[in-house]
Amino acid sequence: FRRPGTCHHAQRLTDLCVVLEPNGEGGWKLRQAVVAQFFYNNSRRTGTFGCNPQTGYEAATYHRDPCWGPVPNRQLCRPDAGLAHVVRVTVRAWHDPYIKAAELTHGSM
């Protein structure tokens, strides 16, 4: 979205997936993945605690916000249209078979 002298990219958080591991004290902590250097170019990085190696283990996923910008979707964004801002949250354990398979296949499974 542009206004004279400004530029805005309106996106909303849609998914959050994190991997946890034991903290050694009976609790849990975020598990940081080892990530190749080229993933660090994203200015919106929230950490390498996510579930998907294809995104550099980025925990957050954003999509364009249809209710904001130069031409918002007036039909979709009416208060009575029922468009809710829903964020899907997934929490996985570090030893989850899905996580291990993703690591072994570099996300190509």
Side-chain angles (χ1 to χ4, degrees):
F1 175 60
R2 292 183 188 180
R3 291 185 182 155
T6 65
C7 180
H8 301 278
H9 298 277
Q11 295 188 334
R12 56 171 69 182
L13 178 66
T14 56
D15 295 279
L16 185 65
C17 186
V18 295
V19 178
L20 302 179
E21 66 183 349
N23 68 2
E25 299 174 2
W28 297 91
K29 66 178 181 176
L30 292 171
R31 179 175 187 256
Q32 184 148 3
V34 177
V35 181
Q37 183 64 33
F38 64 89
F39 286 114
Y40 288 105
N41 295 334
N42 184 344
S43 62
R44 192 179 48 205
R45 286 208 56 80
T46 57
T48 55
F49 309 108
C51 306
N52 188 349
Q54 291 180 331
T55 63
Y57 295 95
E58 179 63 41
T61 302
Y62 297 87
H63 288 99
R64 188 184 69 79
D65 188 340
C67 298
W68 201 85
V71 187
N73 185 328
R74 301 279 183 222
Q75 288 293 89
L76 186 64
C77 302
R78 291 187 339 250
D80 63 340
L83 178 67
H85 183 172
V86 176
V87 178
R88 184 175 65 174
V89 177
T90 305
V91 179
R92 295 190 178 271
W94 67 278
H95 62 328
D96 182 327
Y98 172 84
I99 299 299
K100 290 298 181 187
E103 289 175 354
L104 291 172
T105 63
H106 304 287
S108 65
M109 57 177 197

